[in-house]
């Protein structure tokens, strides 16, 4: 029996009894937030699971971006990708930083390192690439450029949970990586996010920034409140226990679509040096008209794919109109993310595939 509507994603809900047990613990301890025991436990377990040194949990991925900009003392111009969720760019503008867009590679949909250098000026302080849909960026080429021009790197790794690049967590690349643990993500804490920071001093400073500037009870600088609470951490602990089965089920769903659609559409070219987490299932149409026809046909059957990421961020009305990225605009106009989540059935997928093939 198909379960409609079928949305682009459906948040995973882990074992309810286990979550209740954690809630009981929170009631017993009467400790709800402010670096509570469950937040500490989740940080330790995530550091081990991901094989990263320093991880700080925060209230959401967007706050993780803001904290990263302050932590690295970014100024003026930040080179970034126009093909992402709006938060990558809006967070910069909110903080008074100028996004300078560098176009994407038409195959990987990630920022193209070969185009970045021409965008660097005396005002540039950092590069902010995104591992779009969990596809690892060309991290070595980006690292080389950053070193040459003394720029910081922040990876928006919102989609990149559990990705390894050359046998190392992708989160270990750059000065800071941020990740989103929003309900729609493959690993989530309802709302939530994290910063992964290689440098120990910066890690200590980040703890102050997320907690009003406090250090051992003293105010040592300006901070904000970006803390994760215990109910969020409880969800994360339950999710982490089931992460292997979540990833396995996603892989099966992804491969089933791919088997039937790979000769019919264009796909993102995946980084051969990295693993993949099957977070999204983007397909690229020949033109926007075909994409719109597909959306209409799917919607008629209560199937709701999403135009991630449309529009291309260089077209936003708060961006300098002189910035235009032709490749990103083109991909953004033709790309569609199909529903993908662990309990999507083969029957439901077959229905979606039949509709898509039918309109071609
Ligand atoms: N950087 C990047 C590259 C990102 O992709 C994101 C977030 C961020 C930074 C910022 O991280 P956060 O501050 O969000 O932690 C969703 C997510 O809200 C957002 O987290 C995510 N990226 C983005 C790609 O997708 P929307 O506007 O598509 O969400 P919404 O409410 O339309 O939900 C999508 C689908 O999920 C709907 O079809 C319905 C379904 N849904 C959603 C929720 C929340 C449910 O069935 N149940 C639910 O509880 O942004």
């Amino acid at each position: 029996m198909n379960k409609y509507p079928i949305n682009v994603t459906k948040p995973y809900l882990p074992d309810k009894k286990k979550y209740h047990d954690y809630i009981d613990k929170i009631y017993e301890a009467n400790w709800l937030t402010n670096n509570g025991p469950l937040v500490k436990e989740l940080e330790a377990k995530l550091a081990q699971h991901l094989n990263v040194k320093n991880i700080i949990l925060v209230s959401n991925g967007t706050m993780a971006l803001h904290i990263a900009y302050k932590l690295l003392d970014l100024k003026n111009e930040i080179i970034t990708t126009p093909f992402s969720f709006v938060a990558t760019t809006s967070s910069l503008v909110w903080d008074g930083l100028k996004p300078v867009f560098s176009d994407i590679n038409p195959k990987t949909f990630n920022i193209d390192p070969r185009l970045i250098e021409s965008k660097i000026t005396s005002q540039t302080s950092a590069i902010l690439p995104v591992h779009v849909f969990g596809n690892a960026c060309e991290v070595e080429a980006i690292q080389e450029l950053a070193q040459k021009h003394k720029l910081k790197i922040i990876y928006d790794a919102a989609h990149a949970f559990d990705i390894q690049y050359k046998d190392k967590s992708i989160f270990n690349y750059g000065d800071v990586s941020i990740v989103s643990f929003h309900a729609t993500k493959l690993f989530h804490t309802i709302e939530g996010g994290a910063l992964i920071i290689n440098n120990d001093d910066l890690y200590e400073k980040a703890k102050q920034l997320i907690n009003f500037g406090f250090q051992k009870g003293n105010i040592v600088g300006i901070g904000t409140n970006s803390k994760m609470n215990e109910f969020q951490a409880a969800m994360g602990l339950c999710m982490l226990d089931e992460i292997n089965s979540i990833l396995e089920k996603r892989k099966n769903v992804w491969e089933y679509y791919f088997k039937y659609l790979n000769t019919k559409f264009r796909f993102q070219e995946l980084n051969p040096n990295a693993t993949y987490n099957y977070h999204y299932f983007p397909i690229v149409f020949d033109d926007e008209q075909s994409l719109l026809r597909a959306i209409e046909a799917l919607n008629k059957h209560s199937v709701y794919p999403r135009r991630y990421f449309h529009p291309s961020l260089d077209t936003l009305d708060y961006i300098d109109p002189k910035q235009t990225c032709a490749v990103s605009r083109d991909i953004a106009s033709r790309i569609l993310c199909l529903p993908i989540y662990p309990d999507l059935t083969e029957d439901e997928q077959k229905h979606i595939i039949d509709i898509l093939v039918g309109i071609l």
Side-chain angles (χ1 to χ4, degrees), residues 56-74 78-81 84-97 126-131 153-159 176-181 185 192-197 206 209-210 224 226 313:
I56 297 190
L57 294 172
V58 291
S59 47
N60 60 62
T62 306
M63 279 315 297
L65 284 168
H66 289 298
I67 296 292
Y69 306 153
K70 274 277 179 280
L71 185 65
L72 297 172
D73 197 20
L74 301 195
I78 313 301
I79 298 177
T80 188
T81 172
S84 183
F85 188 59
V86 64
T88 315
T89 282
S90 58
S91 56
L92 289 171
V93 178
W94 187 276
D95 284 347
L97 297 163
I127 309 173
L128 171 64
V130 179
H131 305 297
I153 307 171
I154 296 169
Y155 278 108
D156 181 337
H159 310 160
V176 175
S177 284
I178 73 93
V179 59
S180 165
F181 296 153
K185 297 292 187 283
L195 295 114
I196 295 91
I197 303 162
L209 295 186
I210 71 160
T224 177
S226 315
L313 299 173

Side-chain angles (χ1 to χ4, degrees), residues 112-132:
D112 185 342
R114 284 155 287 275
L115 305 177
I116 291 177
E117 199 153 28
S118 68
K119 303 284 174 184
I120 297 173
T121 70
S122 58
Q123 297 293 297
T124 310
S125 61
I127 309 173
L128 171 64
V130 179
H131 305 297
V132 174

Side-chain angles (χ1 to χ4, degrees), residues 10 17 54 67 84 140 148 152 200 233 240 254 301 306 334 344 359:
K10 182 174 151 194
K17 163 89 176 59
N54 301 317
I67 296 292
S84 183
E140 279 133 4
K148 181 170 162 196
K152 305 282 187 214
D200 293 338
L240 200 55
W254 196 97
H301 291 86
R306 284 295 278 272
R334 299 189 282 126
L344 190 67
I359 60 113

